[in-house]
DNA sequence: CCAAAAGTGTTATGTCTACACCCATGA
DNA sequence: TCATGGGTGTAGACATAACACTTTTGG
C-alpha cells in the first residue's frame, strides 16, 4: 500500500551495497533410533552465548555453496558421516533477537541416520551426545537459541512423513526385518500396530519393501527367524501405513 | 571431520563481526483461482538485473521483523490485501549466484487469496498481472532469478496440501458451494471428481464444511440453487478428499 | 517339550465408486 | 415443459482390523 511497485528489485536510486546484513546458518536436526526410541544428536556449546548448553549442530553458510551442500558439510563435520539416509530442508527461522550477537537467519535441515554406532565417536566425545527426543521436547534438556522449537518442528515433520513417504526405511539398516521397520512407526507415533496387518500392507505385491531371500537369526530368546527386506519403491505420497484412527467403533470417520 | 566441535558457536578466538554477509529476502508466491484455473501474481521488474522480466513479489527482510511479518508486509505492499486466506513458509533458496549482485538467501512463502477483483488494482496496474500457473511453469512466461523453480515448488506444495489440509477453502469465498470447492481440486489436480461422492466426504457429520442454510442463486441457465457452506474444522492431516488412484480395476492398491 | 517370535488365514465390518434417480430453477 | 445443474440412494467391489492359527527357532 505504502511503497508500491517494489518487487524484489530496489526502488530508484537504490544502492545494492545498502541492505540489512544477515548471517545465514544451516542447522541440522540429526535423528536416529536407539533402544527403540527416537533420539536426537546434540552438541555442547563451548562459547557464549548459551555457553555450556546443548544445541543442534550447525554453522555458517558459505557464499560459494548451496544450502544443501552446507547441510551436508555440517553433518559430516559433526558426525563423520559422509551421507545420511535422508537430508531434507524443512524450515527457516529468523525471529529478531534469536541470536543475541547479530541478525541470523537459520535454514533448518532434518537428517536421518541408521548407523548409531560410531556416530558420536566421530566428534569430540565430551561435546556430542545422543538424547531421546522426549527429553529435548519436554524441557528436561534445555536447548540453546530457539533450538527446542526447531527440534519440535523436525519431529513433527517426521511424524507426518512417516505416513506420506518412505522415510521409515531411512531409520533402519540397508536390510531390515518387518519388526524393525514397524518399531520405527511405533516409536515415533507412540502406538501399537498389528504385525500381521503391517506386513500385508508394506509387503504387498506393489513393492514397498523387497524380500532379499535371506533371514535374520533369532535373538537369544528364540523365535522364528525373520525375513530380511530392503527398501523398495520409495513412495512420495500416500504410503501403505496410515496413522491409526480413533477405533471407537462406527462413528468418527477420520 | 576437519574442524570438530564447531557447533553453531564459533571456534576459539572468533570475531562475531566476521561472518559471510547475506541479504535475506522474503518472496511470496500469490495464488488464486481465476476462470477455473490456478493463477499466480507476477510483477514486472523495473530495474536490473532481469529488468523488464516478470518475477514474484518480494523484498528484504528487516532485522526488526520476523519472517512471517516480512511476508505479510510484502503481501500488503504488493496487493493491498491486509491478510491472505493463507500465508505459509514453504522453502528457502540460497544457491550461489542466484542473484548476480550479491549473496542472497530467499525465504519463500505461499499466499492464497480468494478475492481476485481489485488485487492487481492495488498495485501499479502496468507492473502487476495475474497469469495462469501453467504459463509460468511451461516456460511461456520467463521468470527472473530462480523464480520459476520457486513457483513450481509452491504449486507442488498446494497439490499436496489439498489432500492433507483445508487449504482448498482458502481459494473460495467465505461462503461457497460444493461445486466451487470441488472446482479447486479439479483445477489444481487436473482430474474430475464425482460430485455426489465429493459432497458426502466433505459434508459428512464431521464438519469439514458447515451448511449456512442459505442458497446461491442459479446461473442464467437454470438448475437447482446450490447450498452455501462455510469452512468448518480445518483438517491438518488426512482430509476427506484423496487424490484419485489409478482406477484401472483390481490391481494397483495405491 | 515349551516359550517366543514370525508369518498366514479368516471374517465381520466399514468404506468407496459408479451410476441411477429425484429436485428446483430459468427460459 | 425442457434443459440444466444440485442433491440423494444404493449395490457391488474393495479395504480394514482383530484375532486365531501355524511355523521355526532357542533353551
Amino acid at each position: 500500500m505504502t511503497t508500491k511497485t517494489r518487487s524484489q528489485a530496489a526502488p530508484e536510486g537504490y544502492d545494492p551495497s545498502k541492505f540489512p546484513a544477515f548471517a545465514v546458518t544451516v542447522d541440522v536436526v540429526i535423528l536416529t533410533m536407539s533402544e527403540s526410541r527416537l533420539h536426537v544428536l546434540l552438541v555442547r556449546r563451548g562459547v557464549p552465548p548459551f555457553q555450556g548448553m546443548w544445541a543442534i549442530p550447525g554453522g555458517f553458510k558459505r557464499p560459494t555453496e548451496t544450502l544443501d551442500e552446507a547441510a551436508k558439510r555440517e553433518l559430516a563435520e559433526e558426525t563423520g558421516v559422509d551421507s545420511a539416509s535422508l537430508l531434507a530442508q524443512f524450515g527457516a527461522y529468523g525471529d529478531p533477537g534469536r541470536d543475541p550477537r547479530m541478525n541470523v537467519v537459520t535454514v533448518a535441515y532434518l537428517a536421518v541416520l541408521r548407523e548409531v554406532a560410531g556416530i558420536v565417536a566421530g566428534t569430540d566425545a565430551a561435546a556430542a551426545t545422543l538424547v531421546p527426543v522426549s527429553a529435548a521436547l519436554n524441557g528436561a534438556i534445555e536447548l540453546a537459541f530457539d533450538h527446542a522449537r526447531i527440534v519440535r518442528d523436525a519431529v513433527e515433520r517426521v511424524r507426518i512423513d512417516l505416513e506420506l513417504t518412505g522415510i521409515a526405511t531411512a531409520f533402519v539398516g540397508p536390510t531390515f526385518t518387518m519388526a524393525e521397520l514397524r518399531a520405527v512407526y511405533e516409536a515415533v507415533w507412540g502406538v501399537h500396530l498389528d504385525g500381521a496387518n503391517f506386513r500385508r500392507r508394506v509387503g504387498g505385491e506393489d513393492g514397498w519393501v523387497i524380500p532379499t531371500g535371506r533371514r535374520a537369526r533369532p535373538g537369544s530368546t528364540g523365535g522364528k527367524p525373520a525375513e530380511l527386506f530392503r527398501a523398495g519403491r520409495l513412495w512420495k505420497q500416500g504410503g501403505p501405513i496410515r496413522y491409526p484412527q480413533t477405533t471407537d467403533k462406527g462413528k468418527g470417520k477420520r
Side-chain angles (χ1 to χ4, degrees), chain A residues 178 182 192-203 241:
Chain A
M178 284 289 179
R182 183 160 49 88
H192 170 77
L193 298 176
D194 183 278
N197 297 327
F198 182 89
R199 152 178 297 270
R200 262 186 292 263
R201 290 227 199 155
V202 306
I241 304 302

Side-chain angles (χ1 to χ4, degrees), chain A residues 43-88:
Chain A
V43 296
R44 195 185 287 280
R45 288 183 57 80
V47 297
F50 302 103
Q51 184 166 20
M53 287 180 66
W54 293 103
I56 58 176
F60 292 114
K61 174 191 187 298
R62 298 173 183 164
T64 54
E65 67 190 356
T66 66
L67 290 166
D68 284 4
E69 286 165 357
K72 198 170 173 181
R73 175 175 55 78
E74 291 296 333
L75 178 69
E77 287 176 359
E78 299 293 340
T79 67
V81 172
D82 269 0
S83 62
S85 310
L86 182 139
L87 186 60

Side-chain angles (χ1 to χ4, degrees), chain A residues 151-224:
Chain A
V151 171
R152 203 178 322 122
D153 290 351
V155 172
E156 182 58 26
R157 164 71 174 257
V158 170
R159 271 197 253 272
I160 293 174
D161 277 5
L162 268 189
E163 191 167 358
L164 301 178
T165 77
I167 193 177
T169 56
F171 284 94
V172 296
T175 67
F176 49 86
T177 68
M178 284 289 179
E180 285 168 356
L181 191 63
R182 183 160 49 88
V184 175
Y185 285 89
E186 294 183 332
V188 176
W189 284 349
V191 298
H192 170 77
L193 298 176
D194 183 278
N197 297 327
F198 182 89
R199 152 178 297 270
R200 262 186 292 263
R201 290 227 199 155
V202 306
E205 309 132 15
D206 292 318
W208 302 122
V209 299
I210 300 168
T212 62
R214 292 180 298 124
R215 295 185 159 271
R217 53 159 176 35
S220 60
T221 75
K224 181 173 178 175

